[in-house]
Amino acid sequence: MLILLPSILSLVLYYALMNFRRTIRITVAVFLQLLVLPAALIVISDYENIPFIPVITWFTLIAFTVACSVSISMAIFDNILSKKGETIAAFLVPFVSFPFIITMVIVPEMIAGQHFPPDFFGQRLFLTGWFLDLITDSSQFIAGEESITALVILHFGFFAEILIVMIIIFGFFKLITDCYKNL
């Protein structure tokens, strides 16, 4: 589920937004991300008695974040690939996010009432975690508390991280296609 879901959601989002202008695609993808996050966090925080519902919701939120990042990056670098190439990229590029997802998901078990370690975000996010640790003191968050602030910060850091990676990948695609056109 964790491997294929980002690719499937990315492909669905690509087909849903492919006929819109670039700015509309970026706006819709960001709006969807901001709309889905609170809904998913409510589900995650409300269903503590049924353990599989928060896990499935969190994995779906991660997959949706990757799909939105791919959609935004494809809109930024519009028309660098053919329609067939864009379809293939929308399905295959999310696989690049798999190491980032695994690093974020594999979390040492925290005992309820224990403070998070000072480098909590840095351990989970390669690119943005150090910055999040600088601007927030992650040790102020307590495991098992009702506040989901740490999860929101972690999610937005993950979104920024995957967006950076996708922009680099599609920027590389643009560089290759520009070089190919100049031959």
Side-chain angles (χ1 to χ4, degrees):
M1 178 177 151
L2 197 55
I3 297 173
L4 281 179
L5 191 58
S7 292
I8 293 169
L9 285 175
S10 176
L11 202 55
V12 168
L13 198 56
Y14 165 72
Y15 278 120
L17 299 176
M18 70 186 243
N19 293 324
F20 292 106
R21 287 183 300 140
R22 182 170 96 160
T23 54
I24 293 175
R25 285 187 283 167
I26 293 171
T27 305
V28 167
V30 170
F31 178 73
L32 286 173
Q33 183 66 28
L34 294 175
L35 183 70
V36 167
L37 176 65
L41 292 176
I42 289 170
V43 169
I44 289 170
S45 64
D46 282 349
Y47 286 94
E48 292 177 1
N49 298 339
I50 308 170
F52 64 89
I53 290 179
V55 171
I56 291 172
T57 305
W58 193 44
F59 286 161
T60 305
L61 179 63
I62 290 169
F64 192 76
T65 300
V66 172
C68 285
S69 299
V70 170
S71 178
I72 291 169
S73 301
M74 288 179 80
I76 290 172
F77 296 101
D78 198 20
N79 297 326
I80 60 170
L81 301 170
S82 66
K83 290 297 178 192
K84 184 178 179 182
E86 285 182 352
T87 303
I88 292 169
F91 184 74
L92 292 179
V93 169
F95 285 107
V96 173
S97 66
F98 189 67
F100 295 94
I101 294 171
I102 292 300
T103 303
M104 190 178 78
V105 170
I106 297 177
V107 179
E109 187 163 332
M110 298 290 294
I111 299 169
Q114 180 183 12
H115 288 276
F116 288 156
D119 58 347
F120 175 75
F121 300 114
Q123 292 176 356
R124 281 146 192 83
L125 304 171
F126 297 128
L127 303 174
T128 59
W130 63 271
F131 181 70
L132 292 173
D133 283 332
L134 282 176
I135 62 171
T136 66
D137 180 16
S138 57
S139 62
Q140 72 181 346
F141 302 117
I142 298 173
E145 67 180 3
E146 294 299 316
S147 173
I148 54 175
T149 309
L151 187 58
V152 170
I153 294 169
L154 183 66
H155 177 75
F156 277 116
F158 179 71
F159 177 62
E161 184 164 283
I162 295 299
L163 186 60
I164 291 167
V165 170
M166 294 304 160
I167 287 173
I168 290 170
I169 289 171
F170 282 100
F172 184 69
F173 286 164
K174 180 168 177 43
L175 181 70
I176 289 173
T177 56
D178 287 348
C179 289
Y180 178 73
K181 288 176 185 176
N182 291 334
L183 287 179

